Amino acid sequence: MSELFADIIIDISTERLDRTFQYRVPDELKDRISCGALVSIPFGKGNRIINGYIVNLTDTPEFDPEKTKDIAGIKDDNSEKAVGRLLSLAAWMKHHYGGTLIQSLKVVLPKKTPVKQVEQKTIRLTADKKTIDVYVKEFEKKHQVARLRLMYALMEAGAMDKKLITSKLAVGTPVIKALENRGLVKVDTTVSYRNPLVFEPHEKKINTLSIDQKSVIDGILSGYEKGDLRPALIHGVTGSGKTEVYIDIIEGMVKKGYQAIMLIPEIALTYQTVMRFSARFKDRVSFIHSKLSPGERYDQFLRARSGELDVMIGPRSALFTPFPNLGIIIMDEEHETSYKSEQMPKYHAREAAEKLASLWGAAFVMGSATPSVESYLKAMNGTYNLYEMPERITGGELPVVYTVDLRKELANGNRSIFSERLRSLMEDRLSHREQIMLFLNRRGFSSFVSCRKCGFVYKCPHCDVSLSLHGDKKLHCHYCGYTAPMEPLCPECASRYIGGMKAGTEQVEKLVHREFPGVRTLRMDMDTTRKKGDYDRILSSFANEEADVLIGTQMIVKGHDFPNVTLMGILAADMSLYSGDYRAAERTFELLTQAAGRAGRGGILPEGSGVRRSMGEVVIQTYSPDNYAVVAASQQNYQKFFEEESFYRKIGSYPPEGHLLQILIEDKNLKNASSASEDIARICRKSEEVQVIGPADAAIARINDVYRRVVYVKCSDYEKLACIKDEIELDRMQREDFRGHIEFDFDP
Ligand code: ADP
Ligand code: ZN
Ligand code: ZN
């Protein structure tokens, strides 16, 4: 029998013990031991007996096996598999993303928090069918859309949690009061802490699945049966029936006795989603979201652990649900940037989910209308199984998209922010009381400089990203530190229309009022959504048609359905295109595709229905109408975008073709920050297989009097970068005088 060794972590409350210790597993314990087991071990010189968790098992000893101590005994014989898997995941995270083991453990292990009891209000439909019909007719006639929305939802669900009504349905307390006064609904107050959302939905029956849906469901479930554990990527346009597919696959796994984790960006956790999952899985599904208190959240984990739940739905952190027998992880909208953590360890939930699934031997399924370049490439080369769902279930028409060249507008003497096309379409919609959304693309906005006449953009000659303006005259590359002076005239066409793009949403709102007097507007951006509830209030106000135009940043393009919106104006498609990082084109494509999908969701209303509702139209205003991201988005052609984009990534050896490690060095002392970054760059340069860029000032070179420097390291081999990271961490630990702070970000 070969020898077995265990890496054991002792105490996760103190950074001082941030390491594992290796012990030998005695023969008599071999059959009973597994990752995650709680064991007792002799520790230190006096061989004091203490407890520890096994995070890894191996047959290759780290030290001389003769000198390796034996595990003394097992404390918790039937310690859960789930804990073991999560501990292994933490160990993997530390290696893969850097930081301390304790930082990783704190991410994966649920934090014990006492559960506070909360008052829960449930709204229940109380009137009989006849009364309901009478009122519904009245509300329809008076066009009281908020009341109608609530009535329709309650007619489907019977009863609903108030939190859900105000947040996801965007219906306020006054509306509930109004219905209560008419005897239509009743408000029940209970004290509970178990189920964060309560309602009793009836399931909308879907009689026949589409052919695409069937083949995806069968493919994934039978693949799993046959032992094909390759992750699956579902590329399906919005409305192609992906959610239905997820639900059916989960149901198939649950029937076999497994549990499921469904990851979803918080913003996409809409009322409809909650309803659909609850209808199928009743009280065996739970939802994690930011409105839960830490206690409620912990309670959901306890329920999962004790076998009360089959399905957990939530953002990133739902991945760490300690299910006893996890069978499947599904990740919707897998391209979403919110899946990446911004704190150490800066893990990507997609990679972590893939790892966790492989630890469990579980299935892993991803879905998106605009898959990340990383995932689609893996699908192309066979690492992932690819499923395509190109058709909308409802057969809904995609909107008509016009691309407007802003350089031509300027040449024709139009200096306003609205092109002729957009202005005339806005007039048309306003005169027919249809709604408009104006999207100001400020994602990743940095102060790039461009020419409004010819579209020229200053770019770094070494990194092929756009340069940012610092102060008045100096242009900077955030990757390599390259600088160039800004000339008063365009280097390309010698016009004086060169400068930074400065328009903000507030300014756009002013201009809308100036050009369309009397128009009712709402604005949604960081400034108008500071307070709790602001976001929901704006959305519900717009849904209630209290405004004609909603102006906003990327917040407005995600997931909301406003049937009366028939025009989407994208004011400056270019802003995210020149955000100065390698994902700029990908994000632009995504945002434009999503934004375009917002218009015309309600479908055209037939003539004679009293109101007009036109087909969806979208105007993309841009200085780069020929850019492949803009062109592909206007044609809603993912394939085309992917081909060009992966080509550029290859040329620049950016992910996924190569890997990029960003090392951020922070120090209160400028000199120390500089010398530390020089040292670190030197360590990196010792390796011949990597390309080192920098050190340079970070995009924000100083925050709160802390100086920030960055070094970028490129290499085709991820493992190589992980080793360099280890070397840097070791080097810093050995320097007593180092007071600064270092963060690693892989494939930022
Ligand atoms: P996606 O998640 O791809 O956006 P959904 O699963 O939400 O797509 O489906 C879009 C709409 O079509 C939903 O209202 C859903 O209830 C409905 N739907 C899904 N599958 C079917 C089907 N097989 N037959 C009829 N309607 C369906
Ligand atoms: Zn020019
Ligand atoms: Zn550069």
Side-chain angles (χ1 to χ4, degrees), residues 204-220:
K204 179 177 134 193
K205 272 273 164 288
I206 287 177
N207 295 323
T208 41
L209 293 169
S210 73
I211 294 173
D212 280 346
Q213 284 175 318
K214 262 212 213 70
S215 73
V216 177
I217 295 166
D218 291 349
I220 289 174

Side-chain angles (χ1 to χ4, degrees), residues 419-452:
S419 59
E420 277 313 315
R421 167 84 74 176
L422 182 57
R423 184 200 314 274
S424 71
L425 285 174
M426 283 177 74
E427 272 162 9
D428 172 75
R429 296 309 196 265
L430 291 173
S431 67
H432 289 92
R433 316 226 61 164
E434 294 176 17
Q435 289 177 296
I436 301 166
M437 281 165 98
L438 293 179
F439 166 41
L440 188 68
N441 184 1
R442 289 179 63 95
R443 177 70 174 258
F445 174 71
S446 76
S447 36
F448 74 96
V449 172
S450 67
C451 171
R452 291 206 283 145

Side-chain angles (χ1 to χ4, degrees), residues 146-425:
R147 292 178 189 196
L148 279 174
R149 225 174 25 256
L150 179 53
M151 287 304 291
Y152 289 148
L154 285 174
M155 281 154 69
E156 207 173 308
M160 276 171 78
D161 187 83
K162 188 176 170 200
K163 264 193 210 162
L164 188 66
I165 292 177
T166 47
S167 65
K168 295 299 171 198
L169 207 51
V171 169
T173 310
V175 172
I176 299 173
K177 272 258 152 57
L179 297 187
E180 198 178 12
N181 290 341
R182 283 170 177 74
L184 286 166
V185 304
K186 201 168 164 298
V187 183
D188 300 326
T189 306
T190 48
V191 175
S192 102
Y193 63 90
R194 287 257 102 164
N195 244 332
L197 298 169
V198 167
F199 42 93
E200 304 147 11
H202 311 295
E203 182 160 15
K204 179 177 134 193
K205 272 273 164 288
I206 287 177
N207 295 323
T208 41
L209 293 169
S210 73
I211 294 173
D212 280 346
Q213 284 175 318
K214 262 212 213 70
S215 73
V216 177
I217 295 166
D218 291 349
I220 289 174
L221 286 177
S222 68
Y224 179 78
E225 278 297 304
K226 288 189 209 121
D228 180 359
L229 285 180
R230 275 181 298 168
L233 174 65
I234 306 174
H235 174 213
V237 298
T238 318
S240 59
K242 292 189 295 299
T243 308
E244 202 56 41
V245 166
Y246 302 149
I247 294 175
D248 282 8
I249 293 176
I250 291 177
E251 188 171 46
M253 295 300 285
V254 167
K255 278 194 183 133
K256 293 193 191 116
Y258 294 111
Q259 296 88 37
I261 293 171
M262 170 89 213
L263 300 174
I264 175 170
E266 167 126 10
I267 202 150
L269 187 62
T270 59
Y271 154 75
Q272 282 92 346
T273 314
V274 174
M275 287 289 290
R276 288 167 70 185
F277 277 90
S278 305
R280 191 73 66 93
F281 300 106
K282 307 286 188 293
D283 59 354
R284 310 245 347 138
V285 53
S286 184
F287 303 85
I288 292 186
H289 50 89
S290 61
K291 291 207 173 77
L292 292 187
S293 70
E296 285 175 294
R297 180 182 290 256
Y298 182 62
D299 197 49
Q300 300 320 304
F301 281 146
L302 288 187
R303 294 176 68 202
R305 177 185 233 160
S306 69
E308 262 182 63
L309 298 174
D310 294 324
V311 189
M312 180 64 88
I313 301 182
R316 221 165 56 207
S317 59
L319 186 60
F320 311 116
T321 309
F323 275 126
N325 195 20
L326 183 66
I328 186 166
I329 304 171
I330 297 186
M331 179 179 236
D332 193 23
E333 314 272 358
E334 65 84 28
H335 63 276
E336 271 286 324
T337 47
S338 65
Y339 281 127
K340 175 120 189 214
S341 170
E342 284 166 3
Q343 281 155 16
M344 288 297 287
K346 297 187 180 176
Y347 69 96
H348 197 298
R350 192 198 311 117
E351 295 162 353
E354 195 174 334
K355 178 69 193 175
L356 187 63
S358 78
L359 287 168
W360 275 101
F364 178 39
V365 176
M366 291 154 279
S368 172
T370 50
S372 63
V373 176
E374 278 93 336
S375 297
Y376 206 74
L377 190 76
K378 286 188 180 156
M380 290 285 109
N381 67 26
T383 314
Y384 293 171
N385 286 317
L386 180 65
Y387 296 91
E388 299 272 0
M389 298 177 68
E391 317 276 345
R392 282 194 175 179
I393 287 275
T394 45
E397 293 292 317
L398 292 168
V400 177
V401 183
Y402 309 99
T403 307
V404 175
D405 185 344
L406 288 173
R407 296 169 304 184
K408 285 196 187 132
E409 295 287 318
L410 185 71
N412 293 336
N414 177 10
R415 298 182 59 181
S416 101
I417 62 165
F418 305 106
S419 59
E420 277 313 315
R421 167 84 74 176
L422 182 57
R423 184 200 314 274
S424 71
L425 285 174

Side-chain angles (χ1 to χ4, degrees), residues 82-95:
V83 177
R85 304 283 195 264
L86 289 172
L87 290 176
S88 305
L89 183 66
W92 173 86
M93 272 178 153
K94 177 200 155 38
H95 176 69

